[in-house]
């Protein structure tokens, strides 16, 4: 596109509506999001990914905005390259007020080549190497929002993939704008009273298993179904989803797999009758924890968990979940669950965090208290708007540093670029849920699909990195290479 055309688009951005200026800052214990602030969101709105937020509210920063009102034509532009996440519908552009000042957020790709467009914002699930906006412009940062697991995009689990980005908001505490507790509204959510043991004992007498498994996404990188299938040899498991299903949910409405991802009251009442829930994430990454972990704790069931290796850091106390990896075999795990099922006093120790003073993990308490975004919290931005303001503030600071260098190049160095690191998506090679890779037949669907996808993610990251740093002839060679990778993958699926 010609420069005059993009300039005209930017000039049109001068007529913009304004997001709210006020921020809120960290919250004190007992305020919304703390002990007293939780109400059951029975429409399921708390637990929807950013792409389902639709017309979200205002973008607010956690601190006071800077004085002064620059014209929108002078502000840095943040371009949402993943337009489905643009949080300012129905328009294409919006002035946002953040802690350091104002920016213009836009989803109009015509401004991509303009000098004022300082950052491109990507949603990781949508990012494809073959569709990357090349050539990459030297003055622009790439910012990644990706709260999902590598199941959605293995490219980002490799160094060459994640280092394509400058700023990140991921589930990892090590990312620039961390989202590890995106599924946990607050401590009050954990304190919800558990059903009486007598009620659960009656459930068991009616022939139901001690363990519940509710999963309809099968054959995932964590290979959870293989583990559950082996566990079923040693202890009864009621499985209600499409994976290893051996029971039906009580009503056709609940049998709709979409309901299983919401806080539907009928579904929660049914699930709460089980003393133990198998809570297995779809991938194994540090700090990647979803509703599979937090919902059982909300309901007063004990999660039997395999997922984040760092999960202990986030638990309300040191005796609230059963970790599958602590047991040498599914048989040993089954024996321990059976022991707890028969011993109420030992079982209740796992629910002590629901009592006053039972949440003793100060790291968890501080993380919830001081995070700059909220879950279903009207006093805080959601993390989509929060990330947008984080990028805005970073770009304003970068502009100031560049101006300072230009004014005194001999005394002030050029600002160093900020580069994302592999720790921002700490996800190792997928491993089997049970047994070793060598024991799994070569024609096994998990082995064929997920290991292949993982290593193809590395290939794509290396190819894209090379494309960014090479000339046009070499770029065409790598485009052809990527096309070959995708063609082979499609043939194998």
């Amino acid at each position: 596109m010609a420069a005059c055309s993009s300039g005209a688009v930017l000039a049109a951005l001068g007529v913009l509506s304004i997001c709210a200026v006020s921020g809120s800052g960290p919250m004190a214990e007992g305020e919304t999001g703390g002990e007293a602030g939780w109400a059951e969101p029975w429409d399921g709105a708390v637990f929807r990914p950013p792409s389902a937020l639709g017309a979200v509210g205002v973008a607010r920063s956690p601190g006071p905005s800077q004085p002064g009102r620059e014209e929108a034509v002078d502000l840095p532009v943040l371009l949402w390259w993943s337009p489905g996440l643009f949080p300012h519908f129905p328009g294409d552009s919006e002035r946002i007020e953040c802690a350091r000042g104002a920016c213009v957020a836009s989803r109009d790709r015509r401004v991509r080549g303009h000098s004022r467009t300082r950052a491109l914002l990507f949603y990781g699930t949508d990012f494809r190497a073959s569709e990357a906006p090349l050539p990459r412009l030297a003055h622009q940062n790439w910012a990644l929002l990706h709260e999902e697991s590598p199941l959605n995009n293995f490219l980002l689990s490799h160094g060459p993939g994640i280092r394509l980005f400058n700023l990140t908001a991921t589930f990892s505490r090590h990312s620039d704008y961390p989202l590890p507790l995106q599924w946990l509204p607050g401590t009050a959510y954990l304190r919800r009273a558990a059903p009486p043991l007598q009620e659960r004992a009656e459930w068991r007498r009616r022939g139901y298993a001690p363990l519940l498994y509710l999963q309809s996404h099968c054959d995932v990188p964590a290979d959870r179904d293989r583990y559950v299938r082996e566990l079923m040899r040693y202890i009864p498991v009621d499985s209600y989803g499409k994976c290893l299903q051996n029971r039906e949910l009580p009503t056709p409405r609940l049998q709709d797999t979409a309901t299983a991802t919401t806080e539907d009251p009928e579904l929660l009442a049914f699930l709460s009758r089980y003393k133990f829930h198998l809570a297995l994430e779809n991938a194994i990454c540090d700090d990647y924890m979803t509703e599979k972990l937090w919902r059982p704790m909300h309901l007063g069931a004990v999660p039997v968990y395999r997922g984040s290796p760092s999960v202990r850091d986030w638990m309300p106390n040191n005796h609230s979940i059963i970790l599958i990896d602590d047991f040498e075999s599914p048989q040993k795990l089954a024996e321990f669950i059976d022991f707890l099922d028969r011993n109420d006093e030992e079982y209740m120790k796992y629910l002590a965090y629901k009592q006053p003073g039972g949440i003793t993990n100060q790291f968890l308490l501080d993380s919830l208290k001081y995070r700059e975004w909220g879950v279903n919290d009207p006093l805080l931005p959601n993390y989509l708007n929060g990330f947008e303001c984080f990028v805005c503030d970073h770009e304003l600071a970068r502009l100031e540093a560049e101006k300072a260098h230009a004014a005194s190049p001999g005394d002030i160095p050029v600002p160093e670029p900020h580069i994302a690191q592999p720790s921002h998506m700490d996800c190792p090679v997928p491993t089997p849920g049970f047994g070793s890779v060598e024991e799994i037949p070569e024609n096994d669907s998990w082995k064929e699909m997920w290991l292949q996808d993982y290593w193809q993610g590395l290939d794509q990251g290396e190819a894209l990195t090379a494309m960014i740093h090479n000339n046009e002839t070499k770029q065409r060679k790598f485009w052809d290479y990527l096309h070959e990778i995708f063609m082979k993958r499609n043939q194998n699926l």
Side-chain angles (χ1 to χ4, degrees):
M1 166 169 273
C4 60
S5 177
S6 62
V9 173
L10 282 164
L13 297 182
V15 183
L16 299 168
S17 57
I18 301 174
C19 290
V21 178
S22 62
S24 52
M27 300 180 52
E29 184 72 8
E31 295 181 353
T32 302
E35 285 300 302
W38 175 252
E40 300 283 8
W42 293 127
D43 64 350
V46 172
F47 300 113
R48 291 176 186 155
S51 57
L53 287 173
V56 298
V58 296
R60 295 173 293 184
S61 84
S65 61
Q66 295 294 314
R69 288 295 303 273
E70 307 93 333
E71 292 296 324
V73 293
D74 299 324
L75 299 177
V77 175
L78 316 179
L79 175 58
W80 281 94
W81 200 254
S82 299
L85 263 69
F86 183 66
H88 308 289
F89 291 104
D92 288 331
S93 300
E94 185 89 5
R95 176 185 175 125
I96 60 172
E97 299 283 348
C98 301
R100 296 186 71 97
C103 293
V104 171
S106 179
R107 59 174 174 172
D108 190 333
R109 291 189 176 186
R110 291 177 296 173
V111 307
R112 184 235 166 183
H114 199 277
S115 61
R116 277 184 45 230
T117 301
R118 299 283 297 181
L120 270 59
L121 280 60
F122 300 87
Y123 185 43
T125 298
D126 298 338
F127 184 83
R128 295 293 178 266
S130 59
E131 301 169 1
L134 299 179
R136 182 169 180 172
L137 304 183
H139 71 283
Q140 289 176 352
N141 274 334
W142 283 11
L144 172 71
L145 173 68
H146 191 55
E147 87 293 12
E148 293 286 352
S149 80
L151 170 65
N152 296 70
N153 194 341
F154 276 114
L155 167 68
L156 305 174
S157 297
H158 300 281
I162 194 67
R163 281 193 288 264
L164 294 169
F165 300 92
N166 303 97
L167 304 173
T168 62
T170 76
F171 51 77
S172 172
R173 74 185 83 179
H174 302 297
S175 68
D176 300 305
Y177 192 77
L179 307 173
L181 299 176
Q182 62 199 322
W183 292 94
L184 181 58
T187 53
Y189 182 78
L190 295 174
R191 293 192 189 279
R192 179 184 189 264
L197 280 179
Q198 301 91 317
E199 181 180 318
R200 287 171 161 175
E202 175 59 27
W203 189 246
R204 294 283 283 113
R205 284 192 291 270
R206 291 170 57 186
Y208 289 89
L211 261 174
L212 172 135
Y213 188 50
L214 178 62
Q215 194 54 247
S216 291
H217 192 170
C218 315
D219 296 325
V220 297
D223 197 30
R224 56 193 170 205
D225 294 337
R226 189 188 309 277
Y227 190 95
V228 176
R229 185 181 297 110
E230 181 69 12
L231 183 66
M232 286 175 165
R233 295 177 55 195
Y234 305 105
I235 193 169
V237 177
D238 287 347
S239 181
Y240 289 96
K242 294 180 180 178
C243 310
L244 307 179
Q245 182 177 14
N246 56 23
R247 276 189 181 270
E248 288 277 4
L249 286 165
T251 67
R253 188 178 66 82
L254 294 184
Q255 292 165 18
D256 179 359
T257 55
T259 306
T261 62
T262 71
E263 299 291 277
D264 181 273
E266 183 182 354
L267 177 66
L268 294 188
F270 180 80
L271 300 182
S272 68
R273 294 166 179 163
Y274 284 87
K275 294 170 70 174
F276 304 90
H277 288 197
L278 281 165
L280 291 84
E281 306 289 6
N282 63 32
I284 310 298
C285 310
D286 270 348
D287 299 339
Y288 179 63
M289 301 163 293
T290 70
E291 85 287 354
K292 296 176 186 66
L293 170 66
W294 302 114
R295 183 166 63 182
M297 301 183 78
H298 173 58
L299 298 177
V302 177
V304 181
Y305 184 77
R306 184 173 189 251
S308 167
S310 59
V311 68
R312 281 190 175 94
D313 294 349
W314 304 97
M315 289 297 95
N317 60 30
N318 60 6
H319 202 76
S320 49
I321 61 172
I322 298 171
L323 296 181
I324 287 175
D325 289 342
D326 285 348
F327 296 84
E328 63 183 47
S329 69
Q331 182 177 3
K332 293 296 184 183
L333 173 63
E335 292 171 357
F336 183 69
I337 294 172
D338 182 65
F339 165 76
L340 292 180
D341 188 37
R342 298 172 185 274
N343 292 268
D344 290 349
E345 184 177 347
E346 292 298 318
Y347 175 82
M348 290 303 295
K349 291 179 181 179
Y350 283 85
L351 302 182
Y353 64 87
K354 291 187 174 293
Q355 303 304 316
I359 300 180
T360 58
N361 183 352
Q362 196 60 43
F363 176 69
L364 174 66
L365 293 171
D366 289 345
S367 297
L368 289 168
K369 182 177 180 179
Y370 293 111
R371 64 185 180 185
E372 297 176 356
W373 46 272
V375 179
N376 201 38
D377 188 337
L379 299 180
L380 288 173
N382 61 63
Y383 60 76
L384 186 62
N385 291 109
F387 174 62
E388 189 180 60
C389 256
F390 169 78
V391 176
C392 173
D393 289 338
H394 183 274
E395 292 312 308
L396 291 170
R398 188 161 69 98
L399 277 169
E400 290 177 8
E402 290 173 356
K403 290 177 181 177
H405 167 72
S408 184
D411 299 323
I412 301 176
V414 177
E416 291 289 329
H418 181 83
I419 306 296
Q421 297 300 312
S423 62
H424 296 196
M425 281 282 294
D426 195 1
C427 306
V429 180
T431 57
F434 174 71
S436 66
V437 173
E438 293 74 21
E439 296 169 348
I440 301 174
E442 290 302 320
N443 62 352
D444 179 84
S445 62
W446 175 84
K447 191 171 187 178
E448 284 184 345
M449 182 175 293
W450 297 115
L451 291 182
Q452 172 184 278
D453 281 5
Y454 181 86
W455 293 115
Q456 284 188 359
L458 176 60
D459 291 340
Q460 294 165 22
E462 290 177 338
L464 186 55
T465 300
M467 289 171 64
I468 288 173
H469 297 292
N470 282 282
N471 61 32
E472 184 175 349
T473 301
K474 291 185 178 180
Q475 286 183 16
R476 174 52 55 190
K477 177 181 177 181
F478 281 107
W479 277 123
D480 293 340
Y481 173 62
L482 272 179
H483 178 72
E484 181 182 351
I485 289 176
F486 292 133
M487 291 297 291
K488 286 182 178 178
R489 181 186 180 203
N490 289 337
Q491 291 170 2
N492 291 330
L493 289 180

